[in-house]
């Protein structure tokens, strides 16, 4: 029975791994229709599945019909002698393969030519960058460098970090020199931060469009309320709070093995390796130990909520920002064992306290039944219904509930939807806004949703909509896209936050 189901599944699912389809593109010549008419005729028979059966119209149908293709049966039992596979013309396959090999052999010449030109340049004129810097700086011209061989030869020293895992912003090492405007902004920040009593209102105003990388650590400490505005008190405050945190470690951390704390610690221990798995920094054992201590101590000190999945993501922006205070190079590949013990202790304690300040404002998101998230998702639904009735009606037509995609947006503050570099820029503004992580975040989510209205309206079934909303294409986003998103969110807030009659139906 399992073997029969397996055969029917693979015959029905033409787009699954292992199915044979004609491939067209610049590397592959078009197939001759005279040679492949039998193949195409058979394919059309296989694909002639009624539309009603292919689309899931509700969440329950989607969940019931979706399963892992590899679990249906043993692939070895599949009969590949069926007619669709027999009609594939061998001449077409051989001709296509020969053309692909010829194209690749021609492309091999290009990287060698580029290497020879760089070798002719005098050594004094060469600029050495890390692989991650080179990856980011080539982002805009990536369409010209499609050959993977070129990338592998030009980046021999360190592993290539996927763009989604790039942390650095436009002020990072290896980026173009700062403009006059950026230098002026940086000088303004330094004047504010060095004054006897920092004007926090003015600092918030300057931070709203983004904080320069050089002053972001101290700015975040001030805006989060962790550091006092008075410069004379800052050193003593930092010393006291860091000692207090490590006092908690000595007092509570050994209790992680006790019976009533075992479940909490086990869940933290499971979640931490999943935190930003593409970034090598967070896969280092020492970093994971730091995160375990931070999250466990926070959970012990906040028994009303305890640890909830998703809180582990909220540590990472603080950790990266405070690490950048001691590291000039990009932090994605940085080995934290090169830092002194005092530096690591300072980063850990500051990350704990700033995360605690953030969570104090949104703790109802993580208490029993997570009422804060339920309210925010409902508010998002009402807001979208006023902003874009067409998108709202589209969701209702295909039975998409806002909770099915927006729960994660609220629980993780959009961290799963955006690259970490974008989250850091977003949090510059959140910390500048009153109730930024709770109230303003709602309008950012609304603006983020409407940003994809065309793609949403193009999807015409439940499964397509949910797959889109859970995998939005933000991999190439940077500060410019976040700036536009925040501007739209501010416009929505200005229109609806102080007008409750317009907010509700």
């Amino acid at each position: 029975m399992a073997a029969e189901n397996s055969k029917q599944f693979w015959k029905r699912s033409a787009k699954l791994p292992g199915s044979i389809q004609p491939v067209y593109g610049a590397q592959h010549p078009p197939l001759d229709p005279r040679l492949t008419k039998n193949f195409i005729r058979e394919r059309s028979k296989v694909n002639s599945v009624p539309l009603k059966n292919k689309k899931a119209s509700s969440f329950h149908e989607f969940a019931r019909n979706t399963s892992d293709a590899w679990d249906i049966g043993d692939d070895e039992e599949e009969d590949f002698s069926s007619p669709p596979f027999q009609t594939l013309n061998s001449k077409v396959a051989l001709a296509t393969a020969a053309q692909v090999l010829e194209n690749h052999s021609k492309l091999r010449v290009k990287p060698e030519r580029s290497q020879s030109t760089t070798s002719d340049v005098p050594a004094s004129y060469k600029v050495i960058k890390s692989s991650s810097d080179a990856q980011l700086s080539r982002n805009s011209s990536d369409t010209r460098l499609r050959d993977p061989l070129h990338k592998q030869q030009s980046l021999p020293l360190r592993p290539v970090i996927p763009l989604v895992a790039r942390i650095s912003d436009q002020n990072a090492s290896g980026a173009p020199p700062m403009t006059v405007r950026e230098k002026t902004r940086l000088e303004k920040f330094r004047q504010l931060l060095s004054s006897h009593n920092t004007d926090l209102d003015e600092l918030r105003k300057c931070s709203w469009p983004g904080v320069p990388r050089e002053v972001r650590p101290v700015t975040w400490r001030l805006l989060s309320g962790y550091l006092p505005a008075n410069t004379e008190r800052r050193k003593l405050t930092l010393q006291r709070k860091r000692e207090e945190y490590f006092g908690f470690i000595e007092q509570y951390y050994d209790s992680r093995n006790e019976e009533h704390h075992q479940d909490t610690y086990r869940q933290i221990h499971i979640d931490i390796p999943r935190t930003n798995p593409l970034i090598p920094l967070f896969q280092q054992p020492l970093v994971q130990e730091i995160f375990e201590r931070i999250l466990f101590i926070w959970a012990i000190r906040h028994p009303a909520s305890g640890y909830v999945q998703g809180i582990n993501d909220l540590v990472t922006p603080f950790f990266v920002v405070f690490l950048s205070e001691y590291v000039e190079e990009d932090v994605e590949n940085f080995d934290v064992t090169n830092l002194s013990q005092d530096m690591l202790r300072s980063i850990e304690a500051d990350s704990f306290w700033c995360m605690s300040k953030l969570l104090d404002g949104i703790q109802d998101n993580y208490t029993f039944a997570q009422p804060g998230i339920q309210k925010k998702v409902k508010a998002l639904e009402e807001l979208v219904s006023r902003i874009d009735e067409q998108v709202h009606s589209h969701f209702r037509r295909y039975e998409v509930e806002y909770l099915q995609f927006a729960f994660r947006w609220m629980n993780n503050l959009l961290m799963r939807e955006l690259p970490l570099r974008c989250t850091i820029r977003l949090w510059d503004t959140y910390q500048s806004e009153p109730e930024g992580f709770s109230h303003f975040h709602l309008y950012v989510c609304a603006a983020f949703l409407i940003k994809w209205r065309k793609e949403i309206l193009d999807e015409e079934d439940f499964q397509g909509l949910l797959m889109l909303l859970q995998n939005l294409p933000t991999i190439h986003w940077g500060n410019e896209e976040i700036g536009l998103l925040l501007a739209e969110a501010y416009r929505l807030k200005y229109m609806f936050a102080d007008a409750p009659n317009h907010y509700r139906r």
Side-chain angles (χ1 to χ4, degrees), residues 260-300:
H260 56 291
H261 290 152
Q262 277 183 349
D263 289 343
T264 298
Y265 180 73
R266 182 167 60 249
Q267 188 61 58
I268 291 171
H269 191 72
I270 291 171
D271 287 347
I272 284 176
R274 303 171 181 168
T275 305
N276 292 292
L278 294 176
I279 302 178
L281 173 70
F282 299 116
Q283 302 311 307
Q284 297 177 37
L286 186 55
V287 173
Q288 294 186 356
E289 290 171 14
I290 289 172
F291 277 38
E292 282 185 2
R293 289 195 292 268
I294 290 173
L295 294 170
F296 183 77
I297 296 302
W298 188 88
I300 293 298

Side-chain angles (χ1 to χ4, degrees), residues 15 61 66 115 147 267 306 349 407 413 452 478:
K15 292 185 179 180
E61 288 182 32
T66 303
Q115 274 192 324
D147 185 13
Q267 188 61 58
F407 180 89
L413 298 177
W452 309 103

Side-chain angles (χ1 to χ4, degrees), residues 336-351:
V336 295
T337 58
N338 294 327
L339 295 178
S340 68
Q341 189 66 25
D342 287 342
M343 290 177 181
L344 288 172
R345 287 168 65 92
S346 297
I347 294 168
E348 179 177 347
D350 293 355
S351 299

Side-chain angles (χ1 to χ4, degrees), residues 129-199:
K129 296 182 182 180
S130 67
S131 63
S132 51
D133 290 334
Q135 179 80 0
L136 186 64
S137 63
R138 287 204 316 279
N139 180 29
S140 62
S141 60
D142 230 8
T143 55
R144 295 185 291 106
L145 301 177
R146 294 298 186 188
D147 185 13
L149 294 174
H150 180 93
K151 292 182 181 179
Q152 291 172 9
Q153 291 172 3
S154 60
L155 305 174
L157 298 177
R158 298 162 72 182
V160 176
I161 303 300
L163 185 60
V164 71
R166 290 287 291 112
I167 294 174
S168 304
D169 61 13
Q170 82 278 14
N171 292 330
S173 60
M178 285 192 295
T179 63
V180 174
R181 182 175 177 274
E182 289 171 341
K183 288 180 180 178
T184 305
R185 289 192 72 241
L186 179 57
E187 188 58 33
K188 178 72 179 294
F189 270 95
R190 283 174 172 159
Q191 288 176 3
L192 278 170
L193 296 172
S194 61
S195 60
H196 182 68
N197 281 298
T198 300
D199 185 343

